Amino acid sequence: MEAVRSQRKSSFSNGGGGGVSTLPIYRSAPPLEVRLEDFELYAVDRLRVLKRISDGLSRGKKPDEMEKLVLDLWKTNMRHEHSSEVVNKDIISHFVLRLVYCRTEELRKWFLSMETTLFRYRFRDESPEIQRALMAEFDLQYKAVSNAEYENLHRIWSIYIGCFGYSYDQEIWIDWVPFEEVPELVAGRRVLIQKGNAYIAMNQAILCLLMKHPNDVLISIYQLLKWTSMIREQEKDRLTPIVEALSTSYLGPDYSQPREHAELSLKDIDQIAKSSFPLCMRHLFDKLREDHHLKHGGRMQLGLFLKGVGLKLDDALAFWRAEFSQKVGAERFDKEYAYGIRHNYGKEGKRTDYTPYSCQKIISAAPGVGDHHGCPYRHFSEENLRAALTRMGVGNRAMEDVMDKVRNRHYQLACTLTFEAVHNSTCDAGVNHPNQYFNDSQKIFESKKSSSNPKGAAAST
Amino acid sequence: MVREEAENGRDDMLIDGDEPEQMKLDYALPDGFNADYLKVYYGKIFPYVDMSKWLSYGNDGKHPGCDHSYLGRREFSFTLDNDIYVRFQSFNTASELEKAIKEKCPFKIDIGPVYSVDPSKRHAYSQGGDNIFTPVEKELVFDVDISDYDDVRYCCSGADVCLNCWPLMTIAIKVIDTSLRDDFGFSHVLWVYSGRRGVHCWVCDGKARRLTNEQRAAIVDYFRVYKGNENSTKKVSLVGPALHPFLVRSYTEVLKDYFENRLLSSQNLFLNEERFEKILEMIPDESVTSELRGKWLSNKQSDVARWDQLKRLLQSSKQKGQGLRRCIEEIVFSFTYPRLDTEVSKHMNHLLKAPFCVHPKTGRVCVPINPKNCDEFDPSAVPTLSQLLRELNSGSFRGEGDNEWDGTSLGDCVRYFRESFLQPLLKSCKEEIEASYNAKVQQSRNSISW
């Protein structure tokens, strides 16, 4: 099958000229000497790129917008005064960040997904020859579809083709792989699957490679994990502080511990939910009070948030029991649901202290029928969202601003505007985390209280 | 929902779906369920031989390439009388399994994954630093519950089910079964009635059992069209320039037919204002909806007539673009497309109720359903515990040999399980074992000669 001919001149094979791929596949750590300053500087530059990509994704940017964003970000942040150093900077920064982000599952996932996005768009920007060469470098198994196979494929599917005014033979199906190798393409229904073989259109074939890519990265991350436990001690005056600072400075706090001295008692919870919960949590809270039940996703989203807000385990158990027992009975609650709550607090199972969900995680949730979790700005219909915002006390004019952001899929900005409308105050940092929303809200109420009641302020210091 | 935590797995476990409400005892005694009846069932009828042959997957000791530890690494969980839930049971042989079931008389038997080591000895292995106790194989399973369809059926709600809404399950079987076989290339697919309100599916090909969690999730997403939660008006959103052929095939071969020829009138989807408003909400064009609303409020027509009007109007307003035309399909998908309990499919360490259990609330046996004639399946005609005991007592048609089930109405179910599912499965398992054994022998020969 004929591959699409490139417009660009490529001379990948002989290694000279302007068509050489500058895209490394990060197979192994570079045998380079790195100055300590560069170690940190390069990593910070790359992290800036990844962080902005993450913002772009959570705002629901479309693929073509993302492509532009990613390539621009790359050009502005990953330059180097010596062109020969550009590739080294790329490789070094990647491996430094692997080191930084290998520590927890959550960090690993974030890093992998951002690196994959970055790689995808950089890959797409390469010429087909270079893409092929990279695929070969990755050792990806694929076969070109033979004519007979193509005929067969076409025959089987063609009776369905055209039903919706679109013909599948416009695309050229060139490659097939076992479907297990391309889970992301299967999940997105971006391949034809026939008897276990995924047939991939030329323009999707590149994605194949990315499926391999994260796995390679993951494997080496696990190798790194062992290494870090070893070097942490040895390097405690040199690399360790840099690595640790990097991992917290850009991701922000994880809100697994409540603010200092913050404690939420059960008697205040209704009033505080009304004043300081973001809509996603307020909605879950109200639904729980109303239905005396939440499905799993809702229990996780609200439960971990409440933990971050300062609800102690015993209070949390009492809180959930009071609601659920009205629906399923106290006995069933103790038997089936209490475990999950203790689990969230790290008292069962793996005993991990789970962190509250961030906006990004909530926005990317996929709630189904009967679910109430997720981000209301993304998952509610316009009508329901308007009603919910009215209940929160958002006025007409602010409402239109919020809806405007929602229509452009800036969900976190919509939430920020809601915050500002409800609190009659600005929120410069924007909303990135429900617990941050809560903390900022509480701060505003505290400062209002102390300015109107100077005695109270004095007593609390 | 019964929740338990695997000792090593980070994922929560869901066993057999979500049961939000206390169930009414619709099927109470005398025609129901009790521990004494169950003892007799396990003593005389339960098809142990077939069940353990299935779960051994050909590793039954005869071939030198067999893995003798295979069955013993499988997790079984028993729900005993008084809702005591015992996890991580394991049995090295078919007779150990039989003995334990007869002795403990579990109200429910759940099947979990095959682990790297014997799950009953997992603590011994967790002493060392590396936790090697981890799931390595598990059938790809699906769970469909009729209670997830409450917003699109008007005859029943919750766990109740009747012949008017059961076709929703038939649709699920047809759509998923066809795709598993034709698209994904699986051949050993077992469908089982869950005993009350839905169906389970076990995909047992070696390839399916070895799928990673990520690959399982990908298949689930391939099947998924429901976005949006309780608060969005549209439950289904079909986007993109063209529907994927899998969806087109499901639509043209199953969904459309069932929607137009069965559900439309059996559920009276357009009966009154409340019902048709739910459908009109899915059409994003004010002029179309107000025209239809006007017609329907002033005239009484059949559901079929109203659906035809809606279709005609949407198809004629071509100038408004594809979004509006896609509406027809979106409505049909909303009311018919399978709704899977996704969590149970995505993770290897989830458990699912074993076939041939007896549902404690209905007394019905979880019998296999033949997808080829799932249209004829009637959940209310499924053999019940008390019926089986009556047949056993009457003894008029005793089966040959030890197979007491042979003389009961469970006979056909076990025969279907054995002949249509188990025999072809074991044949391909044997071939697989043979092939991998030969490869190994070849390899060692090569290394010796070298």
Side-chain angles (χ1 to χ4, degrees):
Chain A
M1 195 106 340
E2 193 78 349
V4 184
R5 282 272 159 252
S6 153
Q7 306 296 326
R8 263 197 281 175
K9 277 241 168 78
S10 167
S11 47
F12 185 82
S13 44
N14 60 28
V20 182
S21 167
T22 53
L23 185 53
I25 63 170
Y26 313 110
R27 183 149 274 165
S28 52
L32 299 165
E33 297 232 339
V34 191
R35 291 189 311 163
L36 207 53
E37 306 93 85
D38 292 343
F39 183 87
E40 187 170 7
L41 274 177
Y42 290 177
V44 168
D45 281 344
R46 191 183 193 92
L47 201 43
R48 201 171 287 132
V49 174
L50 299 186
K51 186 78 175 101
R52 300 260 164 80
I53 291 175
S54 166
D55 289 347
L57 288 174
S58 65
R59 282 176 184 179
K61 280 197 189 298
K62 292 182 195 142
D64 51 324
E65 294 168 329
M66 278 307 292
E67 176 156 14
K68 192 176 172 312
L69 176 81
V70 169
L71 296 176
D72 287 351
L73 281 171
W74 187 258
K75 275 187 203 117
T76 35
N77 290 293
M78 297 301 286
R79 279 184 307 215
H80 196 282
E81 55 201 89
H82 306 296
S83 58
S84 61
E85 280 296 300
V86 171
V87 175
N88 285 345
K89 179 176 179 180
D90 182 2
I91 296 175
I92 291 165
S93 61
H94 174 86
F95 278 95
V96 173
L97 290 187
R98 273 197 203 183
L99 197 58
V100 173
Y101 282 87
C102 67
R103 313 152 146 240
T104 70
E105 175 106 25
E106 191 89 345
L107 290 174
R108 279 198 292 276
K109 263 195 188 152
W110 182 86
F111 175 68
L112 262 185
S113 112
M114 294 315 131
E115 280 284 337
T116 312
T117 311
L118 172 63
F119 190 87
R120 170 183 317 176
Y121 289 110
R122 290 181 66 199
F123 184 88
R124 227 193 252 201
D125 199 41
E126 299 286 357
S127 70
E129 281 84 357
I130 290 178
Q131 291 178 351
R132 289 247 161 214
L134 280 165
M135 286 173 87
E137 221 179 320
F138 269 110
D139 247 350
L140 195 70
Q141 299 272 319
Y142 70 89
K143 296 181 201 167
V145 169
S146 71
N147 276 342
E149 226 171 340
Y150 177 75
E151 287 296 313
N152 186 36
L153 187 68
H154 189 75
R155 184 178 53 77
I156 289 165
W157 290 105
S158 64
I159 49 166
Y160 310 108
I161 289 168
C163 298
F164 293 87
Y166 177 84
S167 157
Y168 263 83
D169 56 13
Q170 286 170 355
E171 288 180 73
I172 307 162
W173 302 91
I174 59 148
D175 297 329
W176 69 264
V177 291
F179 78 86
E180 294 96 324
E181 284 189 16
V182 286
E184 194 181 306
L185 297 182
V186 171
R189 287 195 293 263
R190 287 189 301 229
V191 281
L192 277 182
I193 310 178
Q194 177 67 36
K195 291 287 176 205
N197 294 325
Y199 291 83
I200 302 159
M202 183 56 198
N203 60 0
Q204 300 277 6
I206 57 149
L207 274 164
C208 251
L209 160 79
L210 296 156
M211 308 313 128
K212 280 284 274 184
H213 183 54
N215 284 336
D216 290 347
V217 176
L218 203 63
I219 290 164
S220 74
I221 280 181
Y222 281 113
Q223 289 164 350
L224 270 180
L225 264 179
K226 289 207 165 142
W227 183 64
T228 46
S229 61
M230 201 174 71
I231 62 155
R232 187 167 290 158
E233 256 322 289
Q234 291 173 9
E235 291 282 351
K236 72 172 188 289
D237 299 323
R238 217 168 62 111
L239 292 184
T240 307
I242 299 177
V243 166
E244 266 162 18
L246 276 171
S247 71
T248 49
S249 62
Y250 274 84
L251 264 194
D254 68 3
Y255 298 99
S256 63
Q257 298 301 322
R259 291 185 306 149
E260 263 177 67
H261 311 303
E263 203 170 309
L264 179 64
S265 77
L266 280 180
K267 65 176 176 20
D268 302 330
I269 197 168
D270 282 281
Q271 185 261 319
I272 282 192
K274 220 171 174 171
S275 67
S276 294
F277 280 17
L279 181 54
C280 52
M281 299 301 168
R282 172 89 180 269
H283 176 67
L284 286 170
F285 186 83
D286 290 347
K287 275 292 153 192
L288 176 64
R289 288 282 197 225
E290 201 177 304
D291 300 343
H292 313 301
H293 189 273
L294 283 179
K295 293 184 103 174
H296 177 66
R299 296 200 297 273
M300 292 296 286
Q301 184 175 316
L302 180 61
L304 289 171
F305 168 78
L306 290 175
K307 183 177 86 163
V309 155
L311 193 66
K312 294 270 174 289
L313 174 60
D314 287 341
D315 286 340
L317 283 167
F319 168 73
W320 291 98
R321 183 184 291 114
E323 292 303 329
F324 271 62
S325 58
Q326 297 178 48
K327 177 99 170 187
V328 301
E331 197 188 322
R332 243 190 98 188
F333 174 84
D334 291 340
K335 213 161 56 191
E336 296 171 22
Y337 298 97
Y339 181 93
I341 292 157
R342 289 195 301 273
H343 190 250
N344 283 350
Y345 281 76
K347 302 294 178 205
E348 297 278 2
K350 267 213 327 181
R351 298 182 183 261
T352 307
D353 205 357
Y354 289 97
T355 52
Y357 289 178
S358 66
C359 286
Q360 205 198 329
K361 179 153 182 153
I362 291 171
I363 290 171
S364 57
V369 178
D371 277 331
H372 289 284
H373 65 280
C375 173
Y377 300 97
R378 170 157 189 215
H379 296 110
F380 276 26
S381 68
E382 180 167 339
E383 210 172 300
N384 283 330
L385 182 58
R386 278 180 190 274
L389 288 172
T390 309
R391 278 196 298 278
M392 282 192 78
V394 176
N396 275 342
R397 195 185 309 157
M399 177 87 76
E400 290 317 312
D401 292 342
V402 172
M403 295 320 283
D404 188 52
K405 294 292 177 213
V406 169
R407 272 189 287 271
N408 290 310
R409 290 169 304 180
H410 299 312
Y411 308 116
Q412 287 170 252
L413 293 182
C415 190
T416 308
L417 287 180
T418 307
F419 181 96
E420 293 179 344
V422 171
H423 294 83
N424 216 350
S425 154
T426 58
C427 174
D428 298 327
V431 177
N432 292 308
H433 199 293
N435 290 77
Q436 173 225 338
Y437 181 112
F438 176 84
N439 291 351
D440 288 353
S441 166
Q442 286 288 296
K443 267 182 223 148
I444 288 173
F445 284 114
E446 275 157 25
S447 70
K448 274 185 192 157
K449 224 194 294 173
S450 56
S451 60
S452 66
N453 179 8
K455 255 189 205 166
S460 72
T461 47
Chain B
M1 188 175 354
V2 184
R3 185 174 297 287
E4 276 277 347
E5 173 71 11
E7 303 277 321
N8 75 317
R10 53 171 286 106
D11 297 303
D12 290 320
M13 299 256 232
L14 239 76
I15 293 134
D16 201 2
D18 203 343
E19 293 200 30
E21 281 166 73
Q22 290 283 45
M23 299 305 169
K24 297 168 281 176
L25 274 167
D26 293 343
Y27 309 89
L29 296 170
D31 201 35
F33 177 92
N34 69 46
D36 295 331
Y37 289 10
L38 195 61
K39 254 202 152 57
V40 181
Y41 176 76
Y42 283 137
K44 294 186 180 263
I45 306 177
F46 190 80
Y48 297 98
V49 176
D50 299 82
M51 288 289 282
S52 41
K53 267 193 181 161
W54 164 34
L55 294 170
S56 300
Y57 289 103
N59 292 297
D60 54 2
K62 285 178 199 122
H63 194 280
C66 282
D67 174 357
H68 294 278
S69 71
Y70 190 85
L71 182 64
R73 288 186 280 124
R74 168 81 72 165
E75 177 188 357
F76 291 85
S77 291
F78 290 168
T79 307
L80 305 179
D81 200 355
N82 307 323
D83 271 352
I84 295 165
Y85 190 62
V86 199
R87 283 204 52 191
F88 298 116
Q89 308 286 295
S90 66
F91 309 100
N92 287 316
T93 61
S95 56
E96 271 182 37
L97 172 69
E98 177 168 354
K99 197 170 145 242
I101 292 177
K102 280 181 174 162
E103 208 172 275
K104 296 196 172 138
C105 195
F107 277 31
K108 186 165 143 235
I109 304 168
D110 285 299
I111 299 178
V114 176
Y115 285 92
S116 48
V117 294
D118 180 345
S120 65
K121 301 196 183 97
R122 65 197 182 284
H123 293 301
Y125 291 104
S126 65
Q127 302 306 320
D130 300 323
N131 202 345
I132 56 165
F133 176 67
T134 179
V136 290
E137 270 191 33
K138 165 74 187 294
E139 292 77 8
L140 170 65
V141 296
F142 297 95
D143 179 11
V144 198
D145 280 337
I146 193 84
S147 45
D148 286 331
Y149 290 79
D150 278 1
D151 60 320
V152 294
R153 59 182 187 143
Y154 300 110
C155 50
C156 311
S157 67
D160 296 329
V161 59
C162 70
L163 281 180
N164 281 333
C165 53
W166 186 258
L168 289 164
M169 293 294 109
T170 314
I171 295 170
I173 296 177
K174 289 191 165 186
V175 168
I176 305 293
D177 190 73
T178 307
S179 179
L180 288 172
R181 291 174 202 271
D182 293 355
D183 302 356
F184 292 98
F186 296 124
S187 7
H188 307 289
V189 182
L190 176 70
W191 288 91
V192 182
Y193 175 50
S194 73
R196 181 167 58 181
R197 59 192 176 132
V199 290
H200 295 161
C201 174
W202 299 78
V203 189
C204 303
D205 300 56
K207 202 168 89 149
R209 282 178 276 136
R210 290 185 287 269
L211 290 170
T212 64
N213 284 345
E214 191 195 9
Q215 290 161 343
R216 285 163 207 260
I219 296 175
V220 168
D221 281 339
Y222 180 81
F223 288 142
R224 181 186 180 94
V225 300
Y226 292 91
K227 306 281 183 240
N229 57 9
E230 283 300 284
N231 301 289
S232 50
T233 46
K234 255 193 202 169
K235 304 274 186 264
V236 173
S237 181
L238 305 174
V239 291
L243 280 188
H244 187 274
F246 155 67
L247 295 179
V248 178
R249 183 188 60 205
S250 305
Y251 180 79
T252 52
E253 289 185 357
V254 184
L255 306 182
K256 185 164 178 284
D257 175 43
Y258 272 82
F259 182 84
E260 296 191 333
N261 299 325
R262 310 276 296 258
L263 296 165
L264 202 52
S265 27
S266 73
Q267 294 293 335
N268 291 119
L269 298 178
F270 288 85
L271 183 71
N272 52 34
E273 197 179 344
E274 191 195 331
R275 289 190 190 178
F276 66 64
E277 278 303 334
K278 226 160 84 180
I279 293 169
L280 292 180
E281 265 179 15
M282 291 189 253
I283 303 171
D285 185 296
E286 199 68 48
S287 69
V288 173
T289 52
S290 60
E291 184 178 341
L292 290 171
R293 189 178 292 117
K295 274 188 190 160
W296 295 346
L297 283 173
S298 53
N299 283 308
K300 215 160 168 45
Q301 300 133 309
S302 73
D303 299 278
V304 177
R306 287 181 171 175
W307 173 243
D308 284 340
Q309 281 175 357
L310 180 149
K311 275 206 298 191
R312 236 177 294 127
L313 199 57
L314 281 176
Q315 276 158 350
S316 68
S317 47
K318 266 205 183 108
Q319 72 279 10
K320 288 188 183 110
Q322 208 186 22
L324 218 47
R325 279 204 53 203
R326 199 54 80 68
C327 267
I328 298 172
E329 285 88 47
E330 282 181 345
I331 293 167
V332 174
F333 270 88
S334 300
F335 281 86
T336 55
Y337 190 80
R339 301 177 175 191
L340 302 175
D341 174 355
T342 55
E343 291 305 312
V344 70
S345 309
K346 281 186 194 165
H347 303 286
M348 252 196 243
N349 58 353
H350 278 257
L351 293 99
L352 192 68
K353 182 162 55 174
F356 296 108
C357 279
V358 181
H359 196 290
K361 300 278 160 56
T362 62
R364 291 179 191 159
V365 181
C366 303
V367 294
I369 300 173
N370 183 350
K372 285 199 191 105
N373 34 27
C374 56
D375 269 313
E376 291 148 35
F377 183 83
D378 175 0
S380 62
V382 163
T384 65
L385 187 54
S386 45
Q387 176 194 346
L388 291 174
L389 294 201
R390 272 197 303 276
E391 290 168 358
L392 205 60
N393 288 339
S394 75
S396 53
F397 44 153
R398 235 197 102 95
E400 295 154 35
D402 296 333
N403 296 332
E404 299 224 32
W405 48 258
D406 212 12
T408 68
S409 44
L410 201 63
D412 285 340
C413 305
V414 181
R415 261 188 299 277
Y416 165 77
F417 181 84
R418 180 179 289 177
E419 285 159 21
S420 302
F421 167 69
L422 193 57
Q423 283 167 4
L425 172 69
L426 293 183
K427 187 166 169 276
S428 65
C429 287
K430 294 258 155 76
E431 285 165 7
E432 212 176 285
I433 291 172
E434 179 79 34
S436 81
Y437 177 73
N438 288 344
K440 235 182 259 166
V441 170
Q442 194 61 43
Q443 204 180 11
S444 63
R445 243 186 234 141
N446 289 348
S447 62
I448 290 165
S449 67
W450 188 81

